[in-house]
Amino acid sequence: MAKDVIVVVQRDALPNEKESLDILIVSTTGKCPVETYRSVEAVNTVFGPDGSSPNAKVVRKATTLLNQGKTTLADTLVNKFKIVGFEPTSASPATAATFVCTFADGALTEEIQSGNTLWVRVGGNDKALVEVTASKKIGTGSDLATLFDGTSFTFGGTTYTAAVSGATVTYTATTPGSADTIPGRADIFEDEQLSTASSVPAPEAKFVNGKDAKSAADNLVEEIKRFQADVDNDWYYLLTDKDDDEYVTALAKFAEASEPSEAELGAGVEDHRKFYMGQTSNKKFASITARAAVIYTDAEYLNEEADASYTGNVAPFYPNSVTWKFKRPQDGNAPTSAGTKLITLPKLTEDERDQLLESHVNFLTEEYKHQYVKNGTCLNGEFIDVVLGGDWIAKRMRDLLYDILLSNDNVNYDDAGFGLISTAVMQALAEAVDLNIIARDPESNSGVYTVTVPKYEESTEDQRRSRIMPDITWEALLSGAIHQVKTKGVLRATL
């Protein structure tokens, strides 16, 4: 029976915590589970000299990341980050692919007479044939296997040569490295035209692909990918304890490849894009990659950890979009008695400065007695704030769409439903205007963006049958500090 009096009390929701960059630092001095750290003292317990995985460089990075309070223009500081430890990586040689055929050991149901010839088709490929002729009567699986010793075949442009052990024939690629996959089958015939199957039972066949040679840097990237897949992918911004060119280049490429294409997203690949910040002492460093920024420092000052210093100085603004140029990162490891000290000004000739600028490598400069970082760009020339801002829009729009789909018991496949879905786009873009990610019109002060919401009548029969709404498209003018850049986007939803 329904009650006559019902009282419902609602409280205001607690304010949301301010967003910040999800930073991950990778240590390579020993395996250590990922943890969130909020102080240098906590980092020291694990990575300090008496910790379980000593790494002075990681301690310095944590220190400089947190200690930017004297020169940052932000009203807060980085207050937490994650650290994970991996074992030191090394280069690994290429390994060869193998195709293993194992005959049933013991007596054959029908002996093979001396002089008889058999043709074996590898992997169902008529051109990958092995021909063997019995020089004596063959009565067992092991005897049959010996006929294949030293034989070879070619599949996918790779040649394989056999060695025999008991009843097992192992074909090994003569060229190491990854090869075309061979289906696990080996069919035996009595004639070269492959028209008459042999009574000899086909062997059990298995293909094991080879591996290409990998540098130590590439193996570190593989470790990070396994960590993503198996442990934790809830991070965005990446720093490591590696400064060598091969590592910086490999990690920059990893970050660039982390952004899925529209085709990959359509095929179901999840969007877990990353951004990498590194440092180098190579005045000629170049790697034209997106989603990665590198700061130069002279070799003797790499221990100032300019990459972490730069991050700690500007990252606290996030998600507000600010230019990464004209910032003054300090050496967070400098003794307190020394007072505030910027990272050390590198010794560069005019030609060397021009070389770094052409390669879009950032560096501390001094002009008219004012020191600041120039130019706040990624390695492909895109501005750091533009990339971070675009990524924020993608994430926010996706989160808002899921909020709509999960909080409504039904979203109708009609104009009203399409309009409801479009509010995710509208709200994300409006918030991006407030965060200075999207530019404002100087006259109206409104955000410079347009959103095109489809009508039901524009959907196709296939789309209606699958409940896939036509694309919502949008275009916005990114603030990009002084440098304005247009960006376009698509929101695609299944109702």
Side-chain angles (χ1 to χ4, degrees):
M1 181 178 68
K3 303 299 181 184
D4 294 318
V5 177
I6 298 174
V7 177
V8 177
V9 177
Q10 293 182 331
R11 295 186 300 273
D12 288 340
L14 292 172
N16 292 328
E17 182 182 352
K18 184 181 184 297
E19 281 189 80
S20 61
L21 283 179
D22 296 318
I23 299 171
L24 176 71
I25 302 175
V26 170
S27 168
T28 60
T29 58
K31 192 171 181 61
C32 185
V34 63
E35 295 286 352
T36 298
Y37 297 85
R38 292 177 171 82
S39 69
V40 175
E41 291 73 22
V43 174
N44 254 313
T45 60
V46 179
F47 299 97
D50 299 323
S52 58
S53 185
N55 188 332
K57 192 169 184 66
V58 163
V59 174
R60 290 198 304 269
K61 282 195 187 295
T63 303
T64 192
L65 190 66
L66 294 172
N67 295 344
Q68 292 295 313
K70 302 301 183 184
T71 60
T72 184
L73 296 176
D75 57 8
T76 185
L77 298 172
V78 170
N79 56 18
K80 65 178 181 179
F81 48 85
K82 293 179 180 179
I83 305 178
V84 64
F86 300 137
E87 293 293 341
T89 56
S90 58
S92 55
T95 59
T98 59
F99 185 77
V100 182
C101 297
T102 304
F103 292 94
D105 206 1
L108 299 176
T109 55
E110 184 176 330
E111 293 181 334
I112 301 172
Q113 301 302 312
S114 177
N116 282 9
T117 299
L118 299 174
W119 285 264
V120 179
R121 180 175 63 191
V122 176
N125 187 337
D126 290 349
K127 295 183 179 179
L129 295 177
V130 177
E131 179 182 348
V132 294
T133 300
S135 58
K136 61 178 182 179
K137 185 184 292 185
I138 301 296
T140 67
S142 295
D143 291 340
L144 176 57
T146 61
L147 298 181
F148 293 86
D149 192 26
T151 60
S152 63
F153 66 85
T154 299
F155 193 103
T158 301
T159 299
Y160 296 77
T161 302
V164 176
S165 175
T168 300
V169 182
T170 301
Y171 283 94
T172 302
T174 55
T175 304
S178 180
D180 288 352
T181 300
I182 303 176
R185 52 183 292 194
D187 307 310
I188 304 178
F189 297 90
E190 293 183 354
D191 62 318
E192 191 173 4
Q193 289 71 39
L194 312 181
S195 60
T196 305
S198 172
S199 60
V200 176
E204 179 183 340
K206 181 181 180 182
F207 174 74
V208 178
N209 209 341
K211 295 181 179 179
D212 296 328
K214 286 188 177 179
S215 67
D218 287 334
N219 281 326
L220 175 58
V221 169
E222 290 303 311
E223 284 283 354
I224 294 173
K225 289 180 178 178
R226 283 191 287 271
F227 171 71
Q228 283 181 269
D230 302 336
V231 182
D232 184 1
N233 205 10
D234 190 21
W235 50 275
Y236 169 70
Y237 196 94
L238 177 65
L239 297 159
T240 78
D241 59 0
K242 292 296 187 181
D243 304 326
D244 297 337
D245 282 1
E246 69 165 314
Y247 286 95
V248 177
T249 299
L251 291 162
K253 290 179 178 178
F254 159 75
E256 180 178 52
S258 69
E259 182 176 0
S261 65
E262 184 174 340
E264 288 171 328
L265 289 171
V269 174
E270 289 194 358
D271 187 349
H272 292 290
R273 62 187 75 183
K274 309 299 182 188
F275 189 92
Y276 166 66
M277 175 68 79
Q279 63 179 8
T280 182
S281 60
N282 180 2
K283 296 172 183 177
K284 295 183 178 180
F285 180 85
S287 175
I288 307 174
T289 45
R291 316 194 59 75
V294 172
I295 185 167
Y296 171 84
T297 187
D298 291 335
E300 60 265 38
Y301 300 118
L302 282 169
N303 62 1
E304 292 181 347
E305 313 303 340
D307 54 347
S309 179
Y310 196 21
T311 299
N313 196 270
V314 193
F317 284 100
Y318 184 86
N320 285 282
S321 181
V322 299
T323 179
W324 284 60
K325 187 178 180 180
F326 300 115
K327 298 303 182 287
R328 302 168 61 241
Q330 69 188 72
D331 178 6
N333 295 283
T336 305
S337 59
T340 302
K341 174 182 174 296
L342 297 184
I343 56 174
T344 302
L345 189 71
K347 303 176 183 66
L348 297 169
T349 66
E350 197 64 29
D351 286 345
E352 290 167 342
R353 287 162 54 89
D354 289 343
Q355 173 73 54
L356 291 171
L357 288 172
E358 289 174 11
S359 300
H360 306 297
V361 174
N362 304 288
F363 57 93
L364 190 71
T365 187
E366 182 173 273
E367 297 181 14
Y368 300 101
K369 298 182 180 180
H370 295 282
Q371 292 185 11
Y372 61 89
V373 173
K374 196 180 183 82
N375 260 341
T377 57
C378 298
L379 289 169
N380 67 341
E382 184 62 275
F383 291 93
I384 296 172
D385 51 302
V386 168
V387 175
L388 299 185
D391 288 354
W392 183 89
I393 292 174
K395 179 180 181 298
R396 183 61 176 149
M397 200 174 289
R398 183 171 59 244
D399 289 345
L400 288 168
L401 176 57
Y402 275 110
D403 287 345
I404 290 171
L405 295 174
L406 293 173
S407 61
N408 287 274
D409 55 358
N410 189 53
V411 178
N412 292 327
Y413 195 92
D414 55 20
D415 288 345
F418 293 177
L420 179 60
I421 293 296
S422 72
T423 60
V425 180
M426 304 286 194
Q427 183 176 337
L429 296 179
E431 291 178 11
V433 173
D434 292 337
L435 294 170
N436 197 41
I437 297 171
I438 292 177
R440 291 183 182 272
D441 183 278
E443 295 183 1
S444 66
N445 202 37
S446 58
V448 184
Y449 63 85
T450 58
V451 180
T452 302
V453 182
K455 296 291 187 182
Y456 173 82
E457 62 188 24
E458 298 172 25
S459 62
T460 66
E461 286 297 329
D462 286 342
Q463 287 174 326
R464 294 169 191 168
R465 190 178 302 112
S466 302
R467 294 185 59 79
I468 299 174
M469 66 176 289
D471 293 347
I472 297 175
T473 59
W474 55 272
E475 183 175 290
L477 185 66
L478 296 183
S479 293
I482 298 172
H483 319 278
Q484 295 188 331
V485 180
K486 272 192 176 181
T487 186
K488 298 180 181 180
V490 172
L491 186 144
R492 191 167 298 152
T494 301
L495 306 184

